[in-house]
Amino acid sequence: MNPVAFVIPWFGKNLKGGAEQLAWQVSNRLAKRGHKIEVLTTCCSSFLEDWSTNHLPSGSEMLDGLLVRRFKVDKRNGDLFNHANSHALAIPPENLRAGINPFTFGTGELFVAENINSLALERYLKWNKKRYHAFVFLPYLYGVILNGLPHVAEKSFLQPCLHDEVYAYLPEVENIMRGCRGILYNSLGEECLAHTLFGPGIDRKGEVVGVGVESFDLTHQPLPKQVAGLDLDEEKYVLCLGRRDKTKNTAMLVQAYQKYRKNHPESKLMLIIAGPGEEQFGASVQGVYDLGLVSELDKEALLSRCTVLFQPSRNESYSRVIMEAWFYNRPVAVHGECLATAMAVNAAGGGWLATNREAWAHLFHMISSMEESELLELGKKGRAYARQYAEWDAVIDRYESVLGLKSAEILKEKTQHRIGPRTIHQLVPGFAHGDAISNQTMIIRDLLKKKGYKSDIFTEHIDPSMTHEARLFKDGKGIKADVGLIYHHSIGAGLTDFVINHPGPKSLIYHNITPPELVRNADPELALKLEQGLNDLSRLAPHFPVSAGDSRFNCRDLEESGFASPSVLPICIAPEKWNIPAEPNMLTRLRDGKDNILFVGRLAANKCQHDLIDAFAVYLAMYGNCRLILVGGFMEEEKYYQSLKERVRLQGLEGDVLFTGKVTDTILHACYRCADLFWSMSEHEGFGVPLIEAMWFDIPVFAYKSSAVPETLGEGGLLFTDKQDVKELAAAARLLMHDPEVRSKILSGQKQRRGIFLPEAIRLQLDEFIRGMDV
Amino acid sequence: MLETQNPEIDLAQLLEKIGLELHRQHKSVVGRLDRVASEELAINDPYSWGQLGSTLNVAEQNVNAGAEVTSMLHYRGIMRKIARFLGKVTIFLGRVITIPQRNFNSAILHSFRITLDGIRDMNRSTALFERQIAEQMRHFDEQLKKKSALIDYLKTGLITQERRVSILLEELRRELTTADGSQKALSPHLTGLDILDPLYLAFENQFRGTREEIRDRLLEYVPLMREAGAGNPGREVLDIGCGRGEWLGIMQDEDLLASGLDLNHVLVQECREKGLKVIENDALTYLRSLPESSLGAITSFHLIEHLSFDDRIALFDECVRVLKSGGVAIFETPNPRNLLVGACNFWADPTHLRPLYPETHQFLMEYRGFCKVELLFLHPHEGEQRLPETEAPQLAARLNEILSCARDYTVVGYKA
C-alpha cells in the first residue's frame, strides 16, 4: 500500500502546541504499527520562529524511523500579515456569524497569502498525489494547509483542531472543510462546532477519533500517600487541577465551596486546588487548600484519591485532566456551558454539569452525601469513555479504520458480485439539479451499475446543468424493446403510452399526485393535470406487476388504482447535498437576531400556507421578534399567491413574512441554516422531503398530522392534530424554539429518524425491488 | 391535540408546559406594556447602534486605505515582487488622490462618531421627554375624570332644585286660591316663571337646527313682505311665536318694522337682549287687545300645530280683524305629505298636537275670511336622501315623491 502523508507546517518531537504534539504522536504510533507514514512539512523550525526563514535544510530526513520531507517556505510580508491578524482580532465576537466572512477589505485573502506558505510543498503535492494512499492535514488555519489541501482534495483528510475563533469563519477554511474527503475531530465538541459553522453537508464525512492521553507509568515508583502534609487516604476532598486565571473560574468555585460550608459547617469535605498561576485562593476559607504548582507524581496521587474532580472553566477546547480522572475511576463535574467538556461528560455519563455558583454549591453538598460505590459507578462510566476516546490504542485503531489502513476493509471494497451485462434504464418526467427524485434516480442508477447492469436515465425535461447525468427522451430512442425499465410516475408525463407499450420487464415508482379536489378552487388548470395523472395511474396498473410508492400513504393510491401489492421505497435523502456554501447575503439578512420560522414547499392551497400565516400572526402578536420564511415557487399572477399576499397585507405583516419564490440550493441552504423552527400546516404531503432536510439541519419540526407526514416524521418532530387553537400552537412553537429540554428531546428523536432515509439504509429495499423485476 | 412517536417526550408534561407558557405569556404581555410605558428604552435597540459602533471600528481600521501596496495575492514568487513593485509605483503616483482621500476618510469617520454620539444623546432625551409627556397625560386624565364627576354631581343637584321650585310654585298657587275660587294675582316675578321654559329652549337648540340654517330658510319670505308693503311705517309686521328671534333679526336687517310675540319667558329675554322688540304674551290675548286694521302682516312659523282647533279658528279670525287691507298672513307648519315628516319627524316635538293637512288648512283660512289663499311647499330634502332612479325608475320616482318632497309648507292669505 502507498504511504500516508501527514502535512503540517512544523514538525518535531519537542514542539509545543496541541496540533504539533498530536501529529508527532499519531504519525509515530501509526508507523510503529507497520504502516508506511511520511511527514510533509516546512523548513521553518517552529510556530514561534519567523515563518519566512528556512531554519532547517530542505530535503528528506529520518526522524525516529519516520520519513520527514521538508520544503522551503515562501518569502512573506510579516507586517501585512500582522495588520490582517490584528484586524481579525478586533472583530467583536458577536459579529461572528457562521457562513458570513467577517474579514472585510480583503484582509482575509491577505491573512492567507501572507501566512506560512510553501510553493515547493504545494508543487510536491500536485505532482506526487498518486504516490500516496492518503494525506492528513492539520491544523486548519495555516497557509500550508489552506493552499495545499485543494491540490489533493479527493485523497485528503483534514484534522482541523477547530476552535470557535475568528479564523474559523474564513471562506478558505470553509473551502477546505467542504473539499476534503474526510474530517477527523478530536472531540464531540469540536464536531458539534463544525456542524454549527458549516451545516450538515460535512456531517457524514466527519469522525471523532479522539486524542490519546499518556497514562502515567506506575510501575517504577509508587504514588506518595501524603501531599503537602495532607494524608490523602484519610481525607475526603474535591480536586480542582490546572492553571488558574480569570477565565478558569477557580474563584467562583471557592465562593461556591464557601457557601456550601456556611450551610454545612460540620462537613469534612475539603477543596484542594493545585496548579500554576499567580493567584492564591482560599487562605481565609476553612477547608480550602491551595497547593500551588505540584510535581507530576503528586498530581497523580491527588487525582487517584480525590472524591471528585471539578473543572469549572467555561473555556476549554479539550480537557486532558477529565480523561485522567476517569482513568482513575473518579467522576468529574464540568461547566454546563463549556461545549467541549459538557459534551464529553454527557456522552460518557461520568459526572455532572453545573453552571452557576448555586449549582456548584449544591454539587458539593450532593457529593458529600454520596456513597463511595455510587461515585465509583459514575467513575467507571467515565473510564469506559476515556478508554474509547483517550487511550492511544483505541484512537489509533480509529485512525486506521478512517484512513482505510485496515486490511479487512480493503478486501471488502473489492467484493462485488457481477451478474452480467444486462440493462435496466430509468424513465423520469423531469430531471433537475438538487431535485429529490432526480437524486433518487441517480442513486438507483449507481446501484444498478455496481451490480453489473448497464443503466441510463431518460427524461422528458432536463436541467441544462445536468446533461452529463441523464439523456433526453425522444420517442424511445436508445431504449431497446427487451431492456428493463423503471418508470417514475408523477404528473406532467407524456410517457404513459410509451411505457405501457414497452414489451420488456418494467416497474413503476410512484411519487405521489396531489388530490385534484385540494387545489381545484385555487388552480383549476393544475387540478385537471392532476386528474390526468391519476387517470393514467389506473391505465398503467395492469401493465406493471412490480410497483413501489415513496410511502405507505402513496401505496394506498397505487392499490386503489389497481396495482398489486406495491412495496414502499422511500426517497433517499443524504446531507451531502448541502456540502456547498450558504448564500452569504441571505445569511446576513436572516441572522439579524429574529427567530426564523420556515416552511418549504410550493405555494399551493393544499400546503396551507394561509393557515401558517394566520398562526404566525398570532405567534408574532404573542412573542414578537420573529419572521416567517415561505420558500417555494409561485407565479406572480397565481390566485393563491395573490390571496396570501393580501392576507399578509391585511394583517400588517409585510415586513415579517418573506416569500422567497423558487430558490437556488445555496439560498435554500441559508434558509435552513438560519431557521429555528420548521412549521408545516400542509394537508397533503406525498412524502415530505423538506421535513427530513430540516431534521438534518437540526431544526425542530412542528407539523400538522396529515397524509404521509406522520409516516415520514416517525419519532422525529412534534405533530398536532388540530389547527383550531392557534394560541396553543403558538405556545408549543415557542417551546420548540426556546425551551432547551423540549428542543433537545425533539432533536435527538430527529437525529435517529433522519438516518432511515440515507442511501445505505434504503439499499436493501432497492435490492429487493430490482430483484422483483427479474431482469 | 399533540402527538409524537418519540418515546423520550412525555406529552402530558409537554401540555402542562404549554399551559404554563400561555399563562406566563398572558402575564408578560401585560408586563411588557407597563415596561414600555416606563423605561427600558435603552435596551430596545431597533437600529442596532451597537452594531453601528463595531462597523465604525472596522471602518477605522481601514481609514488609511491606499497608503500601502496590497499584497498582490494572485501572484506568487517573483511575479509577486514585480507586481508589488509596480503597485508601489502606482501608489506613489496616486498620492495626489489618496492623500486627500485619506483626509476625507478620517473626517467622515470623525463626523460619524459625532453624529452617533448626538443620536445617542437625542435618544436619551427623547426617552426622557416621552416619559414626562406620559406622566402629564396621566395627570390630565385624572383631572378630567374629577371634573366630569363634579359636573355630574352639579347636574343632578340642578334637576333636584328645579323640581323643588316647581312643587313650591304649585303649592303657592294652591295657597293663593281662596275659598270662593277666585285667584289672587301672583307677583309679576312669579307669573312669568314657567318651569318648562328653559327646557323648551334646550329642546329647540338640539332639534330645531342651528340659527344659521333657520335664517337661510326664512330669507325666502322677505319678498312676500315687500310685495304686501308690510314692514313700512304704519304697516308693521307681527311675528307670533317668534322663538329665538331669527325672523325678527332678518326683518331688522332688511329695515322692516316688526315686533315679536312669545309666551316663553326665557326666549323673550334672549330676544330682548339682542335688541329685538318682543312682547311676552299669549297670542289670542294680545291680538284681541289690538285695534282693527292695525298691522301690515302677521307671520307665524311652526306655531299653529301647537294649537287646538278652536284656538286656531280664533287665531285666523283675529288675524283677519287686525290686518289692514292688502295685509298678508303667513303660517308655516310641517308638511305631513312627506312620509318621513308625517310619520316621524313631526312627533319629535312633544308639544305638537297633530299634523295639519295642507288643503284643510287652506280651506279653513279661506272660509274664515282670507282671500288669495295659496299653499307654498318648501325645504325639499337634498340629493343624498333621494333614491337613484336608474334601476327601477318608476318606483324610485314614486318613493322620492313621498320621501323627499317638501318638509314644510306655508299657507299665505291676504286680507281683501
Side-chain angles (χ1 to χ4, degrees), chain A residues 265-559:
Chain A
E266 76 296 341
S267 170
K268 292 237 165 70
L269 187 69
M270 302 191 304
L271 173 63
I272 296 183
I273 301 166
E278 305 267 300
E279 245 173 307
Q280 280 290 315
F281 289 104
S284 58
V285 185
Q286 201 194 354
V288 176
Y289 294 87
D290 188 344
L291 308 182
L293 185 62
V294 295
S295 71
E296 278 294 303
L297 206 61
D298 285 350
K299 180 187 129 188
E300 294 295 324
L302 284 168
L303 264 173
S304 68
R305 289 181 173 79
C306 71
T307 310
V308 177
L309 175 88
F310 275 15
Q311 170 59 285
S313 165
R314 263 188 71 174
N315 212 358
E316 296 291 307
S317 58
Y318 181 82
S319 180
R320 281 177 93 80
V321 72
I322 294 177
M323 300 294 170
E324 288 171 332
W326 279 340
F327 276 127
Y328 285 111
N329 285 326
R330 304 320 307 164
V332 301
V334 299
H335 201 290
E337 283 166 14
C338 176
L339 194 63
T341 55
M343 283 193 82
V345 169
N346 264 338
W352 310 269
L353 304 181
T355 41
N356 54 25
R357 204 173 53 171
E358 281 62 40
W360 286 102
H362 176 70
L363 268 185
F364 277 111
H365 171 60
M366 197 177 81
I367 287 157
S368 67
S369 57
M370 275 176 90
E371 292 294 320
E372 173 56 24
S373 59
E374 295 173 82
L375 294 169
L376 195 64
E377 200 178 315
L378 283 171
K380 277 186 175 159
K381 280 188 190 164
R383 185 181 163 87
Y385 180 85
R387 289 192 61 165
Q388 204 186 346
Y389 287 102
E391 214 165 61
W392 274 120
D393 269 348
V395 170
I396 296 298
D397 278 351
R398 226 169 282 122
Y399 272 93
E400 282 182 331
S401 99
V402 173
L403 297 176
L405 298 174
K406 281 191 175 157
S407 44
E409 288 200 13
I410 301 157
L411 278 177
K412 207 172 144 194
E413 285 270 311
K414 284 183 183 166
T415 47
Q416 266 190 4
H417 36 169
R418 298 185 61 82
I419 303 171
R422 276 166 293 178
T423 310
I424 298 181
H425 289 321
Q426 294 182 82
L427 199 51
V428 57
F431 195 82
H433 179 77
D435 170 50
I437 294 172
S438 305
N439 286 344
Q440 179 91 332
T441 56
M442 287 194 281
I443 287 166
I444 294 176
R445 181 202 51 202
D446 295 346
L447 181 72
L448 285 168
K449 283 190 170 169
K450 230 180 222 170
K451 285 161 103 35
Y453 290 95
K454 275 190 186 168
S455 179
D456 262 326
I457 299 167
F458 290 85
T459 178
E460 276 197 310
H461 309 283
I462 188 162
D463 178 349
S465 66
M466 297 295 282
T467 43
H468 60 290
E469 294 282 7
R471 294 164 64 177
L472 207 57
F473 175 82
K474 271 189 199 148
D475 308 327
K477 216 170 144 191
I479 305 176
K480 286 185 190 155
D482 60 339
V483 303
L485 197 61
I486 299 176
Y487 172 51
H488 296 261
H489 182 71
S490 52
I491 58 157
L495 302 169
T496 312
D497 291 328
F498 174 79
V499 291
I500 286 178
N501 294 325
H502 179 73
K506 55 198 174 187
S507 63
L508 177 137
I509 301 178
Y510 171 60
H511 297 291
N512 189 263
I513 291 171
T514 307
E517 57 271 19
L518 284 180
V519 296
R520 190 158 285 139
N521 284 336
D523 192 346
E525 254 176 68
L526 179 66
L528 278 178
K529 276 192 199 167
L530 295 170
E531 229 160 49
Q532 178 66 33
L534 281 178
N535 291 340
D536 282 351
L537 206 56
S538 35
R539 277 177 60 211
L540 289 162
H543 305 278
F544 284 86
V546 182
S547 63
D550 298 336
S551 56
R552 269 196 297 282
F553 175 77
N554 281 347
C555 288
R556 236 174 287 154
D557 274 1
L558 287 176
E559 278 161 3

